[in-house]
């Protein structure tokens, strides 16, 4: 039960902290507390919206509690890091998300003995897709996790290793490639086709072969990003299906 609750509240978190947060808002809230308040308000709206999928008020109350904890963490982060330099950006992001995950764990523990049910109408729609109504929800959560949150996490985590040379690529293409790569990995993992994952990584490497071969720093950065992406996908898959 704890794992299901954790996945549920994690899904609420990634909707509010990633998909409902624009690049403009993410940039501005670093130096303007008013933007932090706006982000937390949008987060609250997203949490309430997701909680409407479930019957009863307990998930609604839990979403409000989680939103308050998110506000508290973001407020502390703002006042502690408002003058930090960009080179600390990766560490700040990881510490911030760690505290958010801990708060999600706390809320999940509080509700572990409560009965949680999906609204009958939505339950019927999910059963049309699959006899196990939670299966589509797990897949939605996994795909949401390996898209924007994964791109942001890998980018922030490796920011100190990123080569300074200008990279002439189509803007946003790297994020799409990473998302498709991790989605294919999830599909192959669910099918037990572990060897096929190697073909995905090979296809990705062919495009960058010349740069990998000629630039040592880029090759190391590329390898770290690829391995971190793999670990991320395996972690998400394990969390959802273990």
């Amino acid at each position: 039960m704890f794992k299901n609750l954790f996945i549920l509240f994690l899904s609420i978190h990634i909707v509010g902290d990633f998909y409902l947060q624009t690049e403009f808002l993410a940039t501005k809230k670093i130096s303007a507390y008013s933007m932090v308040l706006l982000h937390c308000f949008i987060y609250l709206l997203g949490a309430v919206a997701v909680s409407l999928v479930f019957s009863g008020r307990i998930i609604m109350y839990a979403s409000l509690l989680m939103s308050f904890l998110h506000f508290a963490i973001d407020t502390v982060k703002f006042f502690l890091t408002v003058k930090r330099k960009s080179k600390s950006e990766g560490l700040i992001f990881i510490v911030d998300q760690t505290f958010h995950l801990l708060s999600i764990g706390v809320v999940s523990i509080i509700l572990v003995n409560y009965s949680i049910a999906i609204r009958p109408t939505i339950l019927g729609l999910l059963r049309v897709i699959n006899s196990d109504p939670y299966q589509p929800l797990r897949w939605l959560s996994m795909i949401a996790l390996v898209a924007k949150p994964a791109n942001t996490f890998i980018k922030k985590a490796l920011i100190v290793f990123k080569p300074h040379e200008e990279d002439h690529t189509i803007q946003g293409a790297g994020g799409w490639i990473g998302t498709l790569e991790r989605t294919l990995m999830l599909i192959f993992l669910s099918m037990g086709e572990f060897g096929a994952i190697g073909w995905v990584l090979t296809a990705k490497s062919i495009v960058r072969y010349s740069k990998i071969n000629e630039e040592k720093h880029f090759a190391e950065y590329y390898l770290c990003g690829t391995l971190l992406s793999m670990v991320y996908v395996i972690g998400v898959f394990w969390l959802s299906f273990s």
Side-chain angles (χ1 to χ4, degrees):
M1 186 61 183
F2 170 81
K3 188 183 78 169
N4 290 336
L5 285 170
F6 186 85
I7 292 174
L8 166 61
F9 293 123
L10 179 60
S11 300
I12 291 175
H13 172 69
I14 62 175
V15 167
D17 209 26
F18 292 93
Y19 291 100
L20 294 181
Q21 182 174 200
T22 64
E23 289 295 328
F24 174 81
L25 184 56
T27 302
K28 290 296 182 181
K29 75 173 189 176
I30 295 173
S31 56
Y33 187 62
S34 59
M35 294 294 106
V36 175
L37 296 177
L38 177 59
H39 163 65
C40 291
F41 177 70
I42 294 172
Y43 185 100
L44 171 63
L45 294 180
V48 171
V50 175
S51 69
L52 294 176
V53 173
F54 298 85
S55 300
R57 297 181 179 179
I58 190 65
I59 293 295
M60 179 71 73
Y61 294 149
S63 297
L64 294 175
L65 173 60
M66 202 172 77
S67 298
F68 173 76
L69 292 174
H70 186 90
F71 162 73
I73 293 168
D74 275 18
T75 295
V76 171
K77 182 185 75 170
F78 175 82
F79 288 108
L80 288 179
T81 65
V82 66
K83 295 182 180 180
R84 296 285 180 181
K85 296 181 180 179
S86 59
K87 64 181 180 180
S88 304
E89 185 178 350
L91 179 61
I92 291 170
F93 175 81
I94 292 172
V95 172
D96 172 58
Q97 291 301 315
T98 298
F99 276 101
H100 286 311
L101 290 175
L102 288 173
S103 71
I104 291 170
V106 169
V107 175
S108 300
I109 290 172
I110 292 173
L111 295 186
V112 74
N113 293 320
Y114 286 87
S115 177
I116 308 299
I118 301 173
R119 290 185 183 276
T121 305
I122 297 174
L123 190 64
L125 291 173
L126 292 172
R127 280 180 172 154
V128 171
I129 301 171
N130 193 291
S131 57
D132 177 6
Y134 289 94
Q135 187 85 335
L137 291 179
R138 277 195 292 268
W139 271 100
L140 282 173
S141 298
M142 284 195 301
I143 292 172
L145 274 167
V146 302
K148 188 176 180 181
N151 289 332
T152 304
F153 168 70
I154 293 169
K155 180 180 178 181
K156 300 281 190 183
L158 299 181
I159 193 169
V160 295
F161 304 116
K162 187 174 181 179
H164 297 293
E165 297 85 1
E166 186 177 357
D167 192 6
H168 298 284
T169 58
I170 300 172
Q171 186 175 5
W176 276 103
I177 291 171
T179 298
L180 292 172
E181 168 198 335
R182 289 184 290 272
T183 302
L184 286 171
M185 285 185 190
L186 279 180
I187 294 171
F188 290 139
L189 283 172
S190 67
M191 296 169 62
E193 297 290 342
F194 307 117
I197 294 174
W199 290 105
V200 176
L201 299 178
T202 300
K204 178 185 175 184
S205 300
I206 288 173
V207 178
R208 295 291 190 126
Y209 177 76
S210 60
K211 194 166 184 178
I212 293 171
N213 192 44
E214 295 170 3
E215 301 178 23
K216 180 181 177 181
H217 293 299
F218 176 80
E220 293 173 347
Y221 174 76
Y222 177 87
L223 181 60
C224 285
T226 299
L227 294 177
L228 187 57
S229 184
M230 287 183 65
V231 171
Y232 186 100
V233 171
I234 292 170
V236 168
F237 184 80
W238 174 81
L239 176 65
S240 300
F241 288 103
S242 62

